[in-house]
Amino acid sequence: MSIPSFKRLIRFVPKSDPSKVLIGEPESETIDVGAALWRREEIAAHVFSGASVLKPGSKTGGREIVERVLSPLAPEEVGTIRCIGLNYVKHAQEAKCDIPNVPTVFLKPNTSLGDPWPAKTVLPKATQETNTGDYESELAVIIGKTAKNVSEAEALDYVLGYTAANDVSSRAAQFAQTQWCYSKGFDGSCPIGPVIASKELVPNPAKLQIQGSKNDEVVQESGIDDLIFGVPKLVSFLSQGTTLPAGTVIITGTPAGVGAGKSPKVTLQDGDRFDVKISPHVGTLINVFENEA
C-alpha cells in the first residue's frame, strides 16, 4: 500500500448538504482552518473522490463551502490511539521527573477520539467531582500504511501526515494509579484536527512549533525539537513486534505548562476554550468544554 499524495486534507460537513461527510483540501494553502471557522469566515475546499483521508482518491473538480470540520479520521479507522507520556525535556523538568530512557506508552480507545469545535468536548462526571480536568497540547502522527518492525531510518515512510491533538486528562485518577489508560481514556478525551498536513509540507516534524492557549491565554509554547524521543524513534519503537495499521494515531507528548504543573494549579471548567496550534500548516484545534450532565 502506497501513501496517498496530498498537501493538506480535512474531513468535513459541507454547507450544501449537512447529511454528507466529505474529504477535501482547503482552497487556500495558508488558511488556519480551525481559527477561520471560529471567526465565522467562509472556507472553500476542493472535494476529493475518496471517503477517507487514508484513501482520499483525487480531486473531483468539485468545490464546497465548509459547514464544520470533523476529526480527520473516524473512530472506526484509528483502532487504538498510541500515546507517549513525559516526552518533552522541559515538561519532565516541571514534573520533577528523570528523563526516561525509553518511551513511556499508554493507550486510548477509539471511543476517546473527538471532533474539533463546534462539537463539545465533555468533562466527565468523575473529573468534575475532583476538579482535576487538564489539557495537554500534542502533535499527532497519523500512520498511512501498515508498519511493523520498521527502523528509524525508514519510519517516516509510513507516516501519512500530522495534525494537532489535546490529550484531555483527569489528574486525580491519573495520580491514583501507575497506569494512565483509565484517566486519559474517557469518551471524547482525544480531540484531533483540524487538518492533516502531509510529509510534502512537513518533511521534518522537529521544525514545527506548538502552542496551547486556555481562554486566549498562552499556557504552553515549545518547538517540537524539545521532544525527548522524536517522531522517527517513536514510530520505530511502537512498531517493534507490533502491527501499526494504517490509521493508527500516535500522540507524541505535551510540552511544559500543563495545569497540574502550575502554582496554583489550573483546571478545565465548563465553558472553557482550549486551542492547540501547530505551525506551520496544521493550524488550530479548538475545543470548548462542557460538563457531562
Side-chain angles (χ1 to χ4, degrees):
M1 176 183 174
S2 61
I3 300 287
S5 177
F6 64 91
K7 290 185 178 179
R8 299 199 304 164
L9 288 179
I10 55 174
R11 180 170 162 263
F12 70 99
V13 174
K15 283 193 172 181
S16 65
D17 187 348
S19 67
K20 285 186 176 180
V21 174
L22 301 175
I23 304 300
E25 192 166 54
E27 192 171 66
S28 168
E29 294 185 359
T30 58
I31 193 169
D32 182 330
V33 171
L37 286 172
W38 179 262
R39 296 191 298 264
R40 310 289 182 179
E41 295 175 6
E42 184 174 278
I43 298 174
H46 299 295
V47 178
F48 275 58
S49 58
S52 168
V53 296
L54 300 174
K55 296 180 179 180
S58 56
K59 290 182 181 178
T60 64
R63 178 181 183 270
E64 293 281 357
I65 303 301
V66 177
E67 172 66 24
R68 58 190 177 95
V69 69
L70 306 173
S71 163
L73 293 161
E76 60 270 18
E77 294 181 291
V78 306
T80 303
I81 301 165
R82 314 301 167 100
C83 315
I84 309 299
L86 208 68
N87 196 31
Y88 279 79
V89 173
K90 292 185 176 66
H91 178 47
Q93 291 169 347
E94 78 172 346
K96 298 180 174 56
C97 293
D98 294 334
I99 301 296
N101 295 317
V102 294
T104 299
V105 183
F106 61 97
L107 306 178
K108 285 177 178 269
N110 65 0
T111 49
S112 70
L113 196 71
D115 290 332
W117 177 88
K120 296 292 186 179
T121 303
V122 172
L123 287 172
K125 291 179 181 178
T127 306
Q128 297 170 46
E129 289 167 0
T130 57
N131 189 27
T132 54
D134 207 349
Y135 53 82
E136 292 193 2
S137 305
E138 306 212 12
L139 173 71
V141 180
I142 311 299
I143 297 298
K145 62 180 180 180
T146 300
K148 184 175 181 180
N149 293 331
V150 303
S151 68
E152 288 185 49
E154 63 182 344
L156 294 185
D157 295 341
Y158 292 82
V159 172
L160 177 70
Y162 305 93
T163 192
N166 191 342
D167 177 16
V168 182
S169 304
S170 183
R171 297 300 189 195
Q174 180 182 359
F175 298 150
Q177 299 173 316
T178 57
Q179 302 294 320
W180 302 341
C181 295
Y182 172 75
S183 61
K184 290 169 171 279
F186 293 122
D187 291 353
S189 66
C190 191
I192 66 172
V195 166
I196 290 184
S198 71
K199 292 181 295 183
E200 179 182 344
L201 291 177
V202 187
N204 182 1
K207 293 185 177 181
L208 295 170
Q209 297 288 317
I210 188 167
Q211 182 184 85
S213 301
K214 182 176 181 286
N215 299 330
D216 291 321
E217 177 187 355
V218 176
V219 291
Q220 294 184 285
E221 195 158 25
S222 179
I224 300 298
D225 58 2
D226 192 48
L227 282 176
I228 297 166
F229 304 105
V231 172
K233 172 66 175 180
L234 293 176
V235 172
S236 176
F237 179 83
L238 291 169
S239 76
Q240 298 308 305
T242 304
T243 300
L244 304 179
T248 297
V249 176
I250 302 168
I251 60 174
T252 55
T254 195
V258 297
K262 295 186 178 297
S263 183
K265 290 180 171 55
V266 174
T267 59
L268 293 170
Q269 304 295 323
D270 184 71
D272 279 345
R273 170 187 164 189
F274 197 86
D275 299 358
V276 180
K277 182 178 182 180
I278 297 180
S279 304
H281 308 305
V282 173
T284 306
L285 168 68
I286 296 176
N287 295 112
V288 176
F289 287 85
E290 179 178 80
N291 283 345
E292 182 182 29

